[in-house]
Amino acid sequence: MNSLPINTRIRGLSGLKKTLPCLMIASALAFGATAQAATVAAGQNHVMSAAVPTEVATGQAAPVGSMAQAQTLKLALVLPLRDEAGLDALLAQIQNPQSPNYRHYLSPEEFTSRFGATQQDYDAVVAWAKSNGLTVTQTVPNRHVVDVQGSVATINRAMHVQIGNYRHPTQNRNFFAPDREPTLDLPVPLLDIKGLTNVNPPHNHLLHGDNVQHMNAIARTHGSGPSGEYLPSDMRAAYYGSGALTGAGQTVGIFSYDGYKSADVTLYYTKTGMHSTVSITNVLVNGYSGVCDAGDGSGTSTCDDGEQVLDIVNVIGMAPGLSKVVFYEGDSATDILNRMASDNTAKVISSSWGGGDFGASDDAIYKQFAAQGQTFLNATGDYGAYNASTWDAPSLDPNILDVGGTDLTTSGPNGSWTSETGWSGSSGGYYKASKDNIPAYQKLSGVITSTNKGSTTLRNDPDVSAEANFDNPTVSNGKFETGYGGTSFAAPRWAGLLALANQQAASNGKSPVGFVNTQIYNLGLGAGHTSQFHDITSGSNPPQEGSGSGFKAVAGFDLVTGWGSPQGAALINALTQ
């Protein structure tokens, strides 16, 4: 049959131009895509995604030879949701306090029954993979992903492509990618195929400040750590205070593209004088062996785990009585996210990563999170206002809570909040190439103004923020280090706070707060917003890479700090009404 390939251009983060395969769901109009007509062989089904990076499609990346035909690749075949319009209508009811379905969440089994691919379609994808010589490595209960692996030669034949090596036009490295969009002799549609290119490597949102940045940061810092740096206990004191909530009975999930050493977590507590009895469970997704230590936290190999350690200790620092932290690690964002949704164990999930195979197709999983009462928090990044060099998925997805960065001052070690400004590295703004239209909660009167200069047609970031300056320690590969910053710190701090909110909700006989964006924006517009948020009105985030203009923190919502940082007890009370 004739079909329409969809090519969507996306740029990367960390000051590097990158291109992600950005999927289009069944209706390309849902993401504002432009279809380009092409003819494929009769009987072939074109995947509803763009697998060819812009660098390849435009000829910017020079080919440097074919990929070894015997080399094995791992792919994730992603199926579309069923009745997505019905799901969107249900989510609107779940988030509406006036609806009888308000916070009446689905189980993973109920979600799959109503909105997952049919068993017949799922079985057809599995059968197609096997008949084309691919090894099925994992099937999943929500019928959203079929994981396969096979040689490059097998994949080329099955998908009618030629995967080759290319020289990146702006980075000193090669990458692999297909030369055309894949077409499959498959009777059912696929939403996406993850793993056909590594043009955009995964990266975290953690930065080590230089000496000047570090000294400037600690000059205004009054924390409990070395040189007055902030420890997780300082964040709990500043953003929550001395209340009784500890996160008891709650589980927080952490997303990671890499493993960690349990000895490094122990070293953090030893060096800071802190301690924790919270259980940490490691979940290795789809056969991931753990780069650092085979995933069990006990390895001795070299391990760049500063991000992973700070995620763990900052979530626990905000909610020291958690029942459990579940640390999910793998090499595919889609696989990790889908496992989190299928498990439905963690009602709050924190991620400080971007790039890799994150893409627009993951929005289907974020919607499952929302339907199940799970909150997914994402660090927006550390390179200022979004542009072609400073934005990367999953930021700007409308179904996640995006967290920016601030520069905090407290009254002293474990002291109260004193003042806060927007951190210059806090990534935010909007980006046309993301294809994410403005969500309903940002269309509310008073959110986007001439003062904050937000977009009236595109999704704006961040939603909220927390401390992220270069005044934080972490441990990496057996070494305690200071002078770190980044929105990597802000996301787990908010995750810990939402675990406190879920504890309070449970004690009141209520459901978890779930997807909180709609409620947060309504609170921000309400008369009590200055008692629920620290409204940050100074600071800016000029882009530090590439072109474009930055934004300023202003009264109310802005594109540096969102609605601001949490005033813990008051905000928790409002969220759990």
Side-chain angles (χ1 to χ4, degrees):
M1 68 177 181
N2 292 338
S3 58
L4 301 175
I6 301 170
N7 293 314
T8 302
R9 180 169 140 184
I10 296 182
R11 292 295 184 184
L13 189 108
S14 299
L16 305 176
K17 286 189 176 181
K18 304 166 185 171
T19 304
L20 283 174
C22 180
L23 115 121
M24 295 292 141
I25 60 177
S27 169
L29 295 177
F31 288 90
T34 299
Q36 299 171 338
T39 301
V40 297
Q44 291 177 354
N45 177 28
H46 193 90
V47 180
M48 296 178 286
S49 68
V52 180
T54 300
E55 287 86 347
V56 173
T58 61
Q60 299 175 62
V64 290
S66 298
M67 218 174 165
Q69 297 298 288
Q71 182 170 339
T72 298
L73 292 181
K74 295 171 64 177
L75 306 179
L77 310 179
V78 185
L79 284 79
L81 292 172
R82 181 163 42 97
D83 189 19
E84 192 163 13
L87 173 58
D88 290 342
L90 176 62
L91 291 177
Q93 295 171 31
I94 288 174
Q95 296 159 25
N96 180 4
Q98 306 306 315
S99 169
N101 284 326
Y102 180 57
R103 290 183 176 169
H104 285 191
Y105 300 122
L106 302 181
S107 69
E109 295 76 18
E110 290 170 331
F111 182 90
T112 302
S113 176
R114 293 179 63 175
F115 304 113
T118 66
Q119 188 67 56
Q120 182 179 5
D121 283 359
Y122 195 73
D123 290 344
V125 174
V126 171
W128 172 86
K130 291 179 177 179
S131 68
N132 280 274
L134 297 169
T135 300
V136 176
T137 59
Q138 178 178 248
T139 57
V140 295
N142 67 353
R143 301 194 292 269
H144 187 56
V145 180
V146 177
D147 287 301
V148 301
Q149 67 180 31
S151 68
V152 170
T154 299
I155 293 169
N156 284 343
R157 287 194 300 271
M159 301 185 180
H160 308 286
V161 298
Q162 289 296 316
I163 301 175
N165 293 315
Y166 296 86
R167 187 64 178 171
H168 199 284
T170 61
Q171 303 170 26
N172 185 27
R173 64 180 180 88
N174 294 339
F175 65 92
F176 65 83
D179 63 341
R180 69 200 74 179
E181 297 301 331
T183 52
L184 284 66
D185 300 307
L186 179 63
V188 301
L190 280 186
L191 187 61
D192 203 356
I193 300 175
K194 299 294 187 73
L196 287 173
T197 180
N198 66 344
V199 68
N200 189 15
H203 47 264
N204 58 49
H205 298 311
L206 173 65
L207 291 179
H208 193 217
D210 60 31
N211 186 60
V212 173
Q213 291 170 320
H214 182 211
M215 295 306 294
N216 287 340
I218 63 175
R220 300 184 301 277
T221 302
H222 306 289
S224 303
S227 302
E229 290 207 335
Y230 285 128
L231 302 183
S233 58
D234 294 303
M235 296 298 99
R236 176 176 166 86
Y239 291 137
Y240 175 60
S242 57
L245 296 173
T246 64
Q250 303 303 309
T251 297
V252 173
I254 295 176
F255 174 102
S256 182
Y257 266 118
D258 206 348
Y260 69 97
K261 295 181 180 180
S262 60
D264 284 347
V265 176
T266 301
L267 180 60
Y268 184 93
Y269 289 127
T270 299
K271 289 290 188 179
T272 60
M274 300 177 64
H275 69 278
S276 171
T277 59
V278 175
S279 170
I280 304 171
T281 299
N282 302 307
V283 176
L284 279 68
V285 178
N286 191 27
Y288 184 72
S289 61
V291 173
C292 288
D293 51 28
D296 64 1
S298 61
T300 58
S301 60
T302 299
C303 183
D304 181 12
D305 59 353
E307 171 67 55
Q308 296 86 291
V309 171
L310 80 86
D311 285 335
I312 293 169
V313 299
N314 277 278
V315 162
I316 294 175
M318 287 295 295
L322 288 170
S323 292
K324 185 185 295 185
V325 167
V326 184
F327 191 91
Y328 290 84
E329 51 189 279
D331 51 20
S332 165
T334 298
D335 281 338
I336 300 170
L337 295 170
N338 199 65
R339 176 64 181 272
M340 291 171 153
S342 295
D343 286 354
N344 196 27
T345 300
K347 289 302 184 181
V348 179
I349 299 168
S350 179
S351 173
S352 296
W353 294 79
D357 65 333
F358 274 114
S361 59
D362 298 321
D363 184 67
I365 305 175
Y366 304 138
K367 287 183 178 181
Q368 182 170 352
F369 287 153
Q372 296 175 175
Q374 295 173 278
T375 312
F376 184 85
L377 299 97
N378 167 65
T380 61
D382 312 323
Y383 289 88
Y386 291 144
N387 57 34
S389 298
T390 58
W391 170 82
D392 217 348
S395 293
L396 292 175
D397 188 282
N399 291 295
I400 63 179
L401 182 67
D402 280 322
V403 187
T406 70
D407 181 11
L408 171 69
T409 301
T410 64
S411 60
N414 291 315
S416 59
W417 183 95
T418 299
S419 64
E420 207 162 4
T421 63
W423 181 52
S424 62
S426 179
S427 288
Y430 48 87
Y431 188 49
K432 185 175 182 180
S434 77
K435 303 298 181 182
D436 288 307
N437 294 327
I438 187 169
Y441 53 81
Q442 290 188 338
K443 291 181 179 180
L444 297 171
S445 177
V447 175
I448 304 303
T449 67
S450 59
T451 304
N452 62 35
K453 302 186 184 303
S455 172
T456 58
T457 59
L458 299 170
R459 174 33 162 144
N460 299 270
D461 266 355
D463 301 306
V464 292
S465 55
E467 212 286 324
N469 203 3
F470 297 107
D471 45 23
N472 300 277
T474 189
V475 172
S476 182
N477 198 38
K479 184 179 180 181
F480 183 82
E481 298 178 311
T482 60
Y484 277 89
T487 53
S488 280
F489 287 92
R493 288 164 176 167
W494 262 92
L497 183 108
L498 291 182
L500 303 184
N502 282 344
Q503 178 192 357
Q504 179 159 305
S507 68
N508 293 336
K510 296 183 177 181
S511 301
V513 296
F515 180 67
V516 294
N517 291 37
T518 299
Q519 190 175 13
I520 279 178
Y521 277 78
N522 277 296
L523 291 174
L525 293 169
H529 75 280
T530 55
S531 66
Q532 297 152 355
F533 300 94
H534 299 293
D535 188 2
I536 301 164
T537 59
S538 62
S540 62
N541 62 351
Q544 299 175 30
E545 302 286 348
S547 61
S549 58
F551 301 95
K552 293 181 179 180
V554 298
F557 178 77
D558 61 66
L559 280 61
V560 184
T561 67
W563 289 107
S565 65
Q567 295 201 43
L571 180 59
I572 288 170
N573 288 337
L575 290 175
T576 56
Q577 292 294 319

